[in-house]
């Protein structure tokens, strides 16, 4: 089949690669001059299925108020007259209960664990390199209350047989030796040894090159205007370079996906949550992280990427505003300076911002839609890098009408209730069978 993938971030390129591996003729369209130049460019660098969890957790409202009052706040809300923002926030709060949290985290872990396995298989098959390390994630706790609260996450990890270890301070220092210099600042940690790290930008560019070898055509510098339809299926994608046609279409445009599919009656609750990162050179090997350290208090990750340290985090609700606000660098500077004071050179740090496409329940939207030849791969939030390979694989399977290797229940647009039967209908050659 001829398939058009809209978006050349890590999600879109992964989808294109697996589609091409399955024998399809694939074209990727993106407004940028190359792959991974938006949200995939400088994310936190974590491939962290064990840390996959929705923001909508019990006690979210109290935590949000506390966070916004902190000096180095992990959360900033800039109110706008934007119905989509407030609708998303209300849906987020509606999911902030124990039952929803366990369901949503279970869905996320299922896809993330599968994706990590797909990434490993891809690495073994192709030899792709991207400053990868497989040394786990260490979630560090600064208070005993945080240690106690980890019990809920550990119960879900047990259910999905995800390995972990609850560590005391000495255990944390054994995993991350540089933390010995700041032992008085932490009380313990949760080690997720199956997690990995890597440079998402380098991975996406390398995978795009492999996809090109398989015959994928990349049309960069091409703005996507709209999708055309005959009322039953997509008939073309209108760009500033003309209309492109195919047998099937995959929307992988992150935060911009909802506006493209809204004319089809698909009201995707995907909203941009702005994040920031720093990338700084390592100046002292002994003072740098070995893998990823997640500061539970500030919700900021400090990750080793080759000879660099990536510091990523903070959440800012401000619509599609990509202004690089100097004041939001403070939390990043604080965490890396507090936990790894001797590791990197902050004076040479690259400061970056991007828009994470978040759903209110934390779970991405992948797979078929009620529109016969339209598929989605969006809404991954902070876990696009973690879930990219698995999401690309399952969407490629769905487009080709093959049985996916994991249960897709709760991962498709059907979970929002509208036209659920249509969204679950099996596909043949990328086209859903008509309802009886």
């Amino acid at each position: 089949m001829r398939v058009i993938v809209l978006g050349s971030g890590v999600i879109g390129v992964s989808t294109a690669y697996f589609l091409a591996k399955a024998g399809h003729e694939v074209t990727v369209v993106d407004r940028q001059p190359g792959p991974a130049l938006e949200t995939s460019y400088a994310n936190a660098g974590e491939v962290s299925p064990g840390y996959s969890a929705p923001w909508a957790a019990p006690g979210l409202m109290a935590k949000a108020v506390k966070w916004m009052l902190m000096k180095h706040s992990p959360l900033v809300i800039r109110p706008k007259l934007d119905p989509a923002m407030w609708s998303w926030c209300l849906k987020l709060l509606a999911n902030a209960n124990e039952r929803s949290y366990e369901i949503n985290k279970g869905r996320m872990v299922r896809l993330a664990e599968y994706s990590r396995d797909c990434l490993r298989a891809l690495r073994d098959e192709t030899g792709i390199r991207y400053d990868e390390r497989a040394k786990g994630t260490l979630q560090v706790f600064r208070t005993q209350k945080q240690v106690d609260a980890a019990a809920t996450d550990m119960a879900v990890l047990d259910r999905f047989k995800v390995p972990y270890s609850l560590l005391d301070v000495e255990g944390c220092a054994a995993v991350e030796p540089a933390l010995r210099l700041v032992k008085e600042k932490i009380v313990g940690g949760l080690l997720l040894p199956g997690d990995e790290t890597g440079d998402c930008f380098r991975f996406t560019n390398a995978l795009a090159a492999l996809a090109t070898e398989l015959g994928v055509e990349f049309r960069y510098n091409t703005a996507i205007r709209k999708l055309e339809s005959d009322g039953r299926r997509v008939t073309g994608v209108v760009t500033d370079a003309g209309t492109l046609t195919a047998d099937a279409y995959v929307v992988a445009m992150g935060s911009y996906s909802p506006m493209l599919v809204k004319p089809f009656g698909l009201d995707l609750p995907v909203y941009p949550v702005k994040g920031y990162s720093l990338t700084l050179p390592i100046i002292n090997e002994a003072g740098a992280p070995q893998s990823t350290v997640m500061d539970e208090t500030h919700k900021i990750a400090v990750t080793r990427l080759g000879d660099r340290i990536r510091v990523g985090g903070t959440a800012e609700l401000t619509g599609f505003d990509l202004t690089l606000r100097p004041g939001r660098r403070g939390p990043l500077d604080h965490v890396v300076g507090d936990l790894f004071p001797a590791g990197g050179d902050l004076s040479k740090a690259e400061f970056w911002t991007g828009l994470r496409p978040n759903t209110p329940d934390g779970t991405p939207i992948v797979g078929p839609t009620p529109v016969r030849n339209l598929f989605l791969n969006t809404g991954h939030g902070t876990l696009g890098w973690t879930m990219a390979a698995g999401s690309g694989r399952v969407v490629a399977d769905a487009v080709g009408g093959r049985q996916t290797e994991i249960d897709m229940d709760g991962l498709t647009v059907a979970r929002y209730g509208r036209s659920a039967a249509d969204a679950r209908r099996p596909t043949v050659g990328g086209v859903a069978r008509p309802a009886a």
Side-chain angles (χ1 to χ4, degrees):
M1 292 184 358
R2 291 177 301 127
V3 186
I4 291 178
V5 177
L6 303 177
S8 69
V10 68
I11 299 296
V13 172
S14 296
T15 305
Y17 174 82
F18 284 108
L19 282 165
K21 284 285 289 183
H24 301 294
E25 180 183 330
V26 186
T27 300
V28 178
V29 186
D30 198 289
R31 64 184 177 182
Q32 295 292 347
L37 290 176
E38 295 197 24
T39 305
S40 301
Y41 179 72
N43 60 29
E46 303 169 82
V47 178
S48 52
Y51 193 71
S52 299
W55 288 3
L60 175 64
M61 179 66 81
K63 289 180 182 178
V65 172
K66 178 183 176 181
W67 288 336
M68 288 188 288
L69 295 176
M70 290 170 56
K71 178 181 178 181
H72 298 292
S73 173
L75 174 66
V76 172
I77 299 177
R78 303 187 189 280
K80 294 179 177 292
L81 294 175
D82 181 0
M85 173 189 283
W86 298 112
S87 173
W88 185 87
C89 288
L90 290 173
K91 291 174 183 175
L92 181 76
L93 293 174
N95 276 277
N97 58 78
E98 289 186 9
R99 181 176 181 276
S100 295
Y101 180 83
E102 183 174 348
I103 291 172
N104 294 329
K105 182 175 176 68
R107 292 168 174 170
M108 296 169 73
V109 170
R110 184 201 321 154
L111 178 58
E113 286 279 307
Y114 174 68
S115 185
R116 194 263 323 283
D117 294 344
C118 289
L119 178 60
R120 288 176 175 174
L122 174 64
R123 192 165 63 229
D124 291 342
E125 178 184 347
T126 66
I128 191 170
R129 291 293 174 258
Y130 47 92
D131 279 340
E132 72 282 358
R133 288 189 171 211
K135 294 188 175 183
T137 294
L138 177 63
Q139 182 182 6
V140 296
F141 304 124
R142 294 177 183 259
T143 68
Q144 185 59 42
K145 185 176 181 180
Q146 291 173 344
V147 175
D148 297 339
T152 300
D153 284 339
M154 289 188 291
V156 178
L157 295 175
D158 285 334
R159 181 156 59 91
F160 284 89
K161 296 181 173 56
V162 178
Y164 67 87
S165 297
L166 189 63
L167 307 178
D168 59 13
V169 176
E170 288 299 327
C172 291
V175 173
E176 287 286 352
L179 292 179
R180 291 191 183 280
L181 300 174
V182 294
K183 288 196 300 183
E184 73 283 359
K185 296 179 179 179
I186 62 176
V187 300
L190 184 67
L191 175 64
L192 301 157
D195 288 7
E196 301 184 2
T197 63
D199 188 321
C200 182
F201 175 77
R202 292 187 179 184
F203 171 84
T204 308
N205 276 265
L207 191 63
L210 292 173
T212 299
E213 293 176 4
L214 293 174
V216 175
E217 178 186 5
F218 287 86
R219 294 199 178 195
Y220 298 119
N221 298 303
T222 304
I224 298 162
R225 303 300 189 201
K226 65 176 181 177
L227 295 175
E228 292 186 326
S229 169
D230 63 4
R232 297 181 305 157
R233 54 187 291 142
V234 179
T235 57
V237 53
V238 179
T239 76
D240 61 356
T243 299
L244 306 176
T245 61
D247 302 306
Y249 303 78
V250 180
V251 176
M253 294 174 60
S255 300
Y256 299 91
S257 299
M259 56 190 74
L260 194 67
V261 302
K262 192 174 182 63
F264 293 86
L266 297 173
D267 189 13
L268 304 185
V270 176
Y271 196 78
V273 178
K274 190 176 179 181
Y276 294 86
S277 77
L278 294 175
T279 307
L280 53 152
I282 291 174
I283 57 175
N284 178 6
E285 175 72 23
Q290 294 303 302
S291 189
T292 290
V293 173
M294 170 60 71
D295 186 331
E296 177 62 16
T297 297
H298 298 93
K299 301 296 184 181
I300 287 175
V302 184
T303 299
R304 173 69 169 268
L305 297 177
D307 59 359
R308 300 161 294 148
I309 298 173
R310 175 70 51 76
V311 190
T314 79
E316 185 176 335
L317 284 177
T318 183
F320 290 85
D321 178 11
L322 277 166
T323 303
L324 195 60
R325 300 180 184 275
R328 297 309 299 150
R329 177 172 170 164
L332 305 176
D333 283 344
H334 169 70
V335 169
V336 70
D338 200 44
L339 296 179
F340 299 96
D345 187 350
L346 274 169
S347 70
K348 296 181 179 178
E350 177 188 0
F351 187 36
W352 172 87
T353 189
L355 302 176
R356 311 180 189 105
N358 282 60
T359 60
D361 60 13
T363 309
I365 306 170
V366 296
T369 74
V371 182
R372 295 187 174 197
N373 59 343
L374 178 63
F375 300 81
L376 299 173
N377 202 352
T378 189
H380 297 77
T382 60
L383 296 166
W385 180 203
T386 295
M387 296 180 173
S391 295
R393 177 64 186 271
V394 298
V395 170
D397 287 343
V399 170
R402 294 187 302 275
Q403 180 67 44
T404 58
E405 294 181 330
I406 62 169
D407 182 3
M408 295 296 289
D409 182 54
L411 298 177
T412 72
V413 71
R415 73 178 183 269
Y416 295 113
R418 184 189 178 282
S419 300
D422 287 337
R424 291 195 184 101
R425 235 183 285 146
T427 59
V428 176
V431 180
R433 295 193 183 104

